[in-house]
Amino acid sequence: QVQLVESGGGLVQAGGSLRLSCAASGRTFSRVTMAWFRQAPGKERAFVAAIDWSGGLTWYADSVKGRFTISRDNAKNAVYLQMSSLKPEDTDVYYCAASPRSTIEAGPYDYWGQGTQVTVSS
């Protein structure tokens, strides 16, 4: 069992930066792939970034490559998403998720946080 709580969202101007954090509880945190997804009202949840259990492998959506960086600290049971050069189209609710599989598909992610709102103004 893994419980996830996101923080760090907010309002930022285009070109600015934000760092999202996801605090996890559960003894199996270090064994799961962690990911960030985002979702706008009326749209499907979209993959943003993922990191494997060791932190050695990462995956990014094409739309965020070079701007976002995912990282994790297994000692702190935490995963982060550093977002830079933010654009208005990055405005969404961002969700942290955990899966025993390394995948960019939302289906295999068994555990989800409640989400944190990111709003980028133009």
Side-chain angles (χ1 to χ4, degrees):
Q1 190 80 10
V2 178
Q3 295 179 326
L4 306 172
V5 178
E6 303 97 335
S7 61
L11 174 64
V12 64
Q13 289 188 332
S17 299
L18 277 177
R19 188 193 195 207
L20 304 184
S21 298
C22 176
S25 62
R27 293 179 294 175
T28 60
F29 175 80
S30 62
R31 301 178 185 177
V32 296
T33 291
M34 298 298 299
W36 290 93
F37 288 79
R38 62 189 185 185
Q39 187 172 24
K43 294 187 177 181
E44 292 189 356
R45 200 161 288 188
F47 171 75
V48 176
I51 187 167
D52 79 328
W53 68 272
S54 71
L57 292 174
T58 57
W59 301 266
Y60 294 95
D62 288 342
S63 59
V64 306
K65 281 180 182 176
R67 300 188 299 121
F68 291 10
T69 302
I70 189 171
S71 61
R72 68 189 293 164
D73 186 337
N74 288 342
K76 296 182 178 180
N77 279 9
V79 63
Y80 309 99
L81 186 68
Q82 178 66 47
M83 306 186 294
S84 303
S85 302
L86 282 162
K87 306 175 182 179
E89 51 263 43
D90 293 318
T91 296
D92 269 326
V93 177
Y94 284 71
Y95 296 88
C96 175
S99 173
R101 293 175 51 191
S102 291
T103 177
I104 65 172
E105 301 294 331
Y109 284 85
D110 301 315
Y111 304 103
W112 295 84
Q114 82 289 349
T116 186
Q117 176 71 48
V118 171
T119 303
V120 184
S121 63
S122 57

